[in-house]
């Protein structure tokens, strides 16, 4: 075995694995719509400033959920108004842990009932963190040492799906399976966080499980 073969072998052994199942294994339905705030960018900034003054740093948690379609990994995304794409998740409550908050948000957005008593979510590791340095700036995948008081932190977690599950989505949202190849670096359509997910998954060996 040559040096290159030995290097490739050791690299493969160090990669983590994630199993994904066919999209056809999952059931999709709808439930009562979620009410979203209808606000301008200016309104949102004003609300963020007000909340920051009371609670401090805003922390959000979002889930990376993977399925297989046409022998390729796909990312599950929520779509609002046929134009806005989001990873399932949302803002934490004061004092709430990352895992408890993400479970609550996933149950609220994707489970048959909002308390999620019949649903278990297998939480994986935190894949990455994004920071909003100031109220008017976009989320950035690093925090410069000069920024002492960031305004928002968004954490992405890998959530491993079982081989079957019911996804019950609010009727004013769509749950879409989007190819990782389409998401990759497609900032214009999906924004910087979602378009960066394929890079965060590069350390994993993705195993497609045939059912």
């Amino acid at each position: 075995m040559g040096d290159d073969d030995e290097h490739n072998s050791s690299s493969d052994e160090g990669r983590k694995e994630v199993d994904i199942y066919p999209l056809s294994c999952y059931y999709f339905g709808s439930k009562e719509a979620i009410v979203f705030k209808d606000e301008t960018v200016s309104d949102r900034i004003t609300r963020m400033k007000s909340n920051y003054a009371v609670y401090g740093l805003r922390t959000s948690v979002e889930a990376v959920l993977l399925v297989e379609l046409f022998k390729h990994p796909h990312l599950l995304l929520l779509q609002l108004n046929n134009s806005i794409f989001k990873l399932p998740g949302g803002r934490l409550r004061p004092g709430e842990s990352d895992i408890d908050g993400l479970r609550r948000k996933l149950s609220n957005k994707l489970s048959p009932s909002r308390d999620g008593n019949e649903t278990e979510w297998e939480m994986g590791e935190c894949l990455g963190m994004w920071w909003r340095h100031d109220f008017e700036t976009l989320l950035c995948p690093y925090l410069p040492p000069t920024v002492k008081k960031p305004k928002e932190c968004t954490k992405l977690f890998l959530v491993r799906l079982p081989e079957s599950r019911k996804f019950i989505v609010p009727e004013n949202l769509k749950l879409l399976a989007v190819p990782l190849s389409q998401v990759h670096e497609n900032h214009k359509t999906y924004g910087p966080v979602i378009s960066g997910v394929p890079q965060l998954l590069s350390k994993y060996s993705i195993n497609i499980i045939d059912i």
Side-chain angles (χ1 to χ4, degrees):
M1 181 181 292
D3 292 341
D4 289 344
D5 291 335
E6 291 180 357
H7 176 74
N8 291 336
S9 176
S10 63
S11 296
D12 290 341
E13 289 175 0
R15 297 182 72 189
K16 299 180 180 181
E17 295 187 352
V18 56
D19 295 338
I20 64 173
Y21 299 91
L23 184 65
S24 58
C25 292
Y26 302 99
Y27 170 82
F28 297 87
S30 62
K31 60 184 176 182
E32 182 181 355
I34 292 178
V35 178
F36 292 97
K37 294 181 175 68
D38 185 17
E39 58 184 2
T40 64
V41 173
S42 177
D43 291 337
R44 184 176 183 275
I45 291 175
T46 299
R47 179 168 57 86
M48 287 180 63
K49 289 181 177 179
S50 176
N51 288 339
Y52 183 84
V54 177
Y55 304 111
L57 176 71
R58 170 190 172 119
T59 302
S60 297
V61 287
E62 298 180 347
V64 173
L65 305 165
L66 298 174
V67 298
E68 176 271 331
L69 185 62
F70 304 125
K71 299 299 182 182
H72 289 282
H74 284 55
L75 179 65
L76 293 183
L77 297 176
L78 290 168
Q79 186 184 37
L80 175 65
N81 297 332
N82 294 320
S83 60
I84 300 173
F85 295 91
K86 295 178 175 289
L87 290 167
R91 185 176 63 179
L92 295 179
R93 293 169 175 168
E96 189 174 36
S97 72
D98 295 341
I99 299 303
D100 288 344
L102 186 53
R103 284 199 179 104
R104 175 176 60 84
K105 285 296 184 178
L106 290 177
S107 296
N108 189 34
K109 301 281 179 61
L110 302 179
S111 293
S113 62
R114 293 188 177 179
D115 57 22
N117 288 336
E118 66 292 287
T119 304
E120 291 294 330
W121 300 98
E122 185 181 345
M123 300 298 177
E125 68 176 291
C126 180
L127 296 174
M129 301 169 66
W130 291 72
W131 300 88
R132 193 182 304 278
H133 302 164
D134 208 339
F135 296 112
E136 289 82 8
T137 58
L138 297 175
L139 287 166
C140 186
Y142 61 88
L143 184 62
T146 55
V147 177
K148 303 301 182 183
K149 294 183 177 181
K151 302 305 183 284
E152 183 176 4
C153 176
T154 296
K155 302 178 182 181
L156 272 57
F157 287 85
L158 178 65
V159 178
R160 298 171 186 266
L161 292 176
E163 64 180 67
S164 65
R165 176 183 291 284
K166 289 182 179 180
F167 289 106
I168 309 298
V169 183
E171 59 186 5
N172 55 335
L173 294 172
K174 296 178 183 178
L175 186 61
L176 306 178
V178 183
L180 284 182
S181 58
Q182 179 176 317
V183 170
H184 177 54
E185 293 190 344
N186 191 344
H187 297 199
K188 183 176 181 180
T189 301
Y190 300 105
V193 177
I194 294 175
S195 62
V197 167
Q199 291 178 322
L200 297 176
L201 293 171
S202 62
K203 61 183 177 181
Y204 290 89
S205 292
I206 297 177
N207 302 322
I208 295 175
I209 309 298
D210 293 322
I211 301 297

